[in-house]
C-alpha cells in the first residue's frame, strides 16, 4: 500500500511540496510487479518517514523535465502513435483498469483522492470490450425472465357422444 501525503509542483523559483489536491492522505494499492522496486527504494530511503522514495539525479525532487527525460516520454509516445498523451492520462488509465477489474466506484474515489464520485467517474473510460460485456451481462440477467412459460397442452376434445 502506498500512502500519498504530498505532491511536488512547479512554483516560482523552482519546485515546492504541498498537500495533495484533496488535502488528505490516501492509500493506493500497489500491484505485485512493482512491490520489489518500492521495497528496494524504502530500504534506500532509510528510517526517515519524510524521505523521498524517488529522487532526481542529484538526490533532490524530481522535476517534470527530469521525469520526461528519464522515461524518454516524448520518444515513447511518438513511437506508439500517441503524441498527445500526457503523463496525467496514465491516471485515467489506471483508474479505468481498476474499474475493469471490478473495483467499485466508491473505492476508486478513495484511491484517487477525489472528494466527489462525479470526479472519479470522469476518469473512467470503458472500452468496447467492457461495453460489450455489459450488454452480455444484461442479456444473461434477463434470460430467465424471457424464458417461455411451460405450457400445459390439453388434448382437443373429441366428438361428443
Amino acid at each position: 500500500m502506498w500512502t500519498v501525503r504530498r505532491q511536488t509542483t512547479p512554483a516560482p523559483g523552482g519546485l515546492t511540496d504541498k498537500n495533495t489536491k484533496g488535502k488528505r492522505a490516501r492509500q493506493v494499492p500497489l500491484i505485485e510487479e512493482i512491490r520489489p522496486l518500492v521495497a528496494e527504494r524504502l530500504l534506500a530511503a532509510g528510517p526517515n518517514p519524510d524521505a523521498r522514495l524517488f529522487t532526481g539525479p542529484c538526490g533532490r525532487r524530481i522535476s517534470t523535465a527530469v521525469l520526461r527525460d528519464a522515461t524518454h516520454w516524448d520518444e515513447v509516445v511518438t513511437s506508439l502513435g500517441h503524441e498527445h498523451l500526457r503523463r496525467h492520462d496514465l491516471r485515467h488509465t489506471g483508474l479505468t483498469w481498476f474499474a475493469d477489474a471490478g473495483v467499485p466506484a466508491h473505492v476508486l474515489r478513495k484511491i484517487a483522492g477525489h472528494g466527489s464520485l462525479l470526479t472519479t467517474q470522469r476518469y473512467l473510460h470503458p472500452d468496447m470490450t467492457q461495453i460489450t460485456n455489459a450488454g452480455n451481462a444484461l442479456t444473461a440477467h434477463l434470460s430467465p425472465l424471457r424464458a417461455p412459460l411451460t405450457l400445459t397442452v390439453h388434448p382437443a376434445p373429441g366428438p361428443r357422444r
Side-chain angles (χ1 to χ4, degrees), residues 53-125:
L53 207 54
F54 298 98
T55 58
C58 299
R60 295 189 294 250
R61 294 178 181 112
I62 298 175
S63 69
T64 55
V66 167
L67 183 61
R68 184 188 60 241
D69 294 346
T71 60
H72 306 282
W73 182 263
D74 295 332
E75 296 88 5
V76 170
V77 296
T78 298
S79 70
L80 294 172
H82 297 291
E83 297 82 7
H84 302 294
L85 186 68
R86 301 163 300 148
R87 285 183 304 278
H88 183 78
D89 295 331
L90 299 178
R91 184 170 158 86
H92 289 246
T93 300
L95 288 171
T96 298
W97 286 352
F98 272 118
D100 290 350
V103 177
H106 70 282
V107 175
L108 294 175
R109 182 185 70 79
K110 287 285 203 184
I111 291 170
H114 294 147
S116 163
L117 195 53
L118 291 174
T119 302
T120 305
Q121 289 173 326
R122 286 196 300 263
Y123 274 71
L124 306 180
H125 308 285

